[in-house]
Amino acid sequence: MTKVALLVVGAGPAGWSAVSGYRAAGGGGPVLLAGEDAHPPYRRPPLSKDYLRGESGRDELALQPTTWYVREQVRMETRARVLALDAEARTADVDGVGSVAFDRCVITTGAAPARPAAIPGAEDSRALTLRTIENADALRAAGGRLVVVGSGFIGCEAAASMAMRGTEVTLVTDEAVPHAGRLGREVGERISGWLSETGVTVLTGREVGAVEPPAVRLADGARVTGDAVLLALGVEARVELAEAAGLDTEDGRLICDESGRTSADGIWAAGDLARLFNPTAGRRLTVEHWGEALTQGEVAGRSAAGQQSAWDSVPGFWSTIGRRTIKYAAWGDGHDDVRLRGDDAAWSAWFVRDGACVGVLSHNRDGDYELGRELVARGERIP
Ligand SMILES: Cc1cc2nc3c(=O)[nH]c(=O)nc-3n(C[C@H](O)[C@H](O)[C@H](O)COP(=O)(O)OP(=O)(O)OC[C@H]3O[C@@H](n4cnc5c(N)ncnc54)[C@H](O)[C@@H]3O)c2cc1C
């Protein structure tokens, strides 16, 4: 049996940051970072942007050089899926490593692209998804015509990037405009305009009846045919390991306090998988952002090392659609009004709930983004 002071399950940004935070807070002893991926932690955001467009290479994706793990005395194991976790005995069964006994553990198993059972054919493995380097490589090789299903950030970014590569892209969404549900109609219309600008054909208000790669059949019977189909229908948290270990979950996420501590002693969690309590917001939040995975991972790692640490910042997110960048800071769990300010070249959308600012999204107005973040944290009115 291998004995470690800290076991981190999942080697994405939250996992890397947990290890880094643990060491930075003086956490000692052997550390094992076990990830099922074939690669040490790497950046996912470029996979729908510059990497997908062929403007950056694999060698630019690694989060840290291999020398970092040596220097920090972290045993990084790739292709090492954690098969089972015993929260009481504090042991784990790790593929390729064997039985591991741990003093403390941080779970950062992240999320995987959704393949909703309600859509016939969504589970067909010929329908592509986008989460890993291998997924991005498959998409790049997918041929001259692509059908994208879904108009969230990944769907919009990937559609624009593929169109910029010269691919004929059709994006199908059941929303009235992309992002209407999350960001409101006016913001959605601007994003839709950017997609059209890059050459993407946007089919809005169209429900998908079935996925039949390389085509999709719409609910009204029409068929949209390409050389490949990309499903971009959101993600599902990978809670299966934690759930099997008996840890408490809520709406498919692992419940944590502000330090990332789960319902089991000695076990913390962070990132897409987790729903941490945010003391500034006064409630638990689900967040699927790169920066938050890093922040929460560090908090969980420091906490596991015995240092008091809390996730109390307003979640922030950047997205690039074609050549346009938006910055978004928000609690992300609902608004009752959106106010748009500015012109096509530079604008901000302010999100309001019960009179208080709960979010800001800006394009070429960085001052608004910074101010908005403060207003959200303080629960104040928009300017
Ligand atoms: C294409 C793309 C573009 C994105 N762009 C942006 C962006 O511009 N801005 C932004 O804020 N966010 C972006 N995101 C979201 C961001 O990447 C995620 O929020 C972030 O990766 C979450 O980090 P995580 O560590 O929680 O999970 P993940 O990154 O999913 O990492 C979890 C890791 O755990 C591994 N794992 C799962 N189960 C086990 C197990 N049992 N044993 C061992 N290992 C396991 C998984 O294989 C995975 O490698 C993007 C995501 C994608 C896919």
Side-chain angles (χ1 to χ4, degrees):
M1 162 122 30
T2 303
K3 291 200 163 108
V4 295
L6 179 71
L7 168 67
V8 176
V9 184
W16 170 79
S17 196
V19 164
S20 166
Y22 177 80
R23 285 295 194 227
V31 171
L32 173 61
L33 174 57
E36 69 175 10
D37 256 336
H39 316 275
Y42 62 89
R43 296 185 174 83
R44 296 193 197 281
L47 301 182
S48 50
K49 308 178 186 75
D50 39 303
Y51 183 80
L52 190 59
R53 293 196 293 269
E55 293 167 6
S56 64
R58 268 196 185 206
D59 51 341
E60 291 161 76
L61 292 176
L63 214 45
Q64 291 293 337
T66 46
T67 48
W68 185 90
Y69 300 93
V70 177
R71 197 184 68 224
E72 297 295 324
Q73 299 187 335
V74 171
R75 178 174 168 191
M76 165 70 234
E77 287 288 340
T78 54
R79 296 192 172 88
R81 180 163 196 202
V82 177
L83 303 166
L85 199 64
D86 186 328
E88 286 221 334
R90 299 201 187 182
T91 57
D93 181 12
V94 186
D95 199 15
V97 175
S99 294
V100 174
F102 58 84
D103 295 331
R104 278 128 201 253
C105 173
V106 182
I107 306 178
T108 60
T109 47
R115 289 180 179 269
I119 302 179
E123 281 166 21
D124 187 327
S125 60
R126 290 172 304 162
L128 305 176
T129 56
L130 182 54
R131 186 81 185 174
T132 64
I133 295 178
E134 289 74 16
N135 295 157
D137 289 345
L139 191 53
R140 278 163 64 156
R145 293 173 309 157
L146 176 70
V147 184
V148 178
V149 181
S151 59
F153 282 112
I154 304 280
C156 290
E157 289 183 359
S161 291
M162 291 299 287
M164 288 165 81
R165 281 172 67 86
T167 304
E168 196 183 296
V169 181
T170 305
L171 184 145
V172 182
T173 177
D174 59 359
E175 293 194 282
V177 289
H179 294 287
R182 186 175 184 178
L183 303 176
R185 189 177 182 103
E186 282 179 291
V187 172
E189 278 166 359
R190 289 182 184 220
I191 292 174
S192 192
W194 295 347
L195 288 170
S196 304
E197 224 175 65
T198 61
V200 176
T201 302
V202 184
L203 300 183
T204 55
R206 309 292 287 274
E207 230 168 272
V208 169
V211 177
E212 296 163 350
V216 296
R217 187 161 44 76
L218 304 183
D220 60 14
R223 254 175 98 77
V224 186
T225 305
D227 296 311
V229 174
L230 171 68
L231 298 181
L233 295 164
V235 295
E236 280 168 9
R238 297 197 52 188
V239 282
E240 62 276 6
L241 181 77
E243 254 177 359
L247 274 57
D248 291 347
T249 60
E250 176 180 78
D251 294 337
R253 310 274 164 161
L254 201 47
I255 298 179
C256 302
D257 70 8
E258 66 267 34
S259 74
R261 193 171 49 208
T262 68
S263 57
D265 266 354
I267 302 186
W268 288 260
D272 282 9
L273 152 96
R275 179 176 282 184
L276 269 72
F277 180 79
N278 184 305
T280 311
R283 57 192 181 274
R284 284 196 284 265
L285 297 171
T286 297
V287 184
E288 294 161 2
H289 302 342
W290 179 263
E292 253 43 57
L294 289 174
T295 307
Q296 293 181 358
E298 176 166 1
V299 165
R302 285 181 179 274
S303 303
Q307 192 180 76
Q308 211 173 349
S309 193
W311 176 62
D312 54 8
S313 50
V314 177
F317 174 94
W318 292 19
S319 174
T320 306
I321 295 164
R323 300 279 176 221
R324 316 274 198 153
T325 296
I326 50 180
K327 298 181 180 181
Y328 177 52
W331 295 131
D333 58 353
H335 54 264
D336 50 39
D337 195 13
V338 189
R339 314 252 176 89
L340 202 70
R341 310 255 167 87
D343 54 27
D344 276 356
W347 51 270
S348 295
W350 296 88
F351 299 87
V352 178
R353 186 165 67 199
D354 298 330
C357 180
V358 290
V360 63
L361 184 146
S362 70
H363 169 60
N364 288 340
R365 283 179 45 146
D366 289 358
D368 283 358
Y369 174 77
E370 299 302 337
L371 172 66
R373 226 176 167 167
E374 285 170 27
L375 296 180
V376 173
R378 297 200 295 264
E380 290 180 7
R381 291 180 174 278
I382 65 170

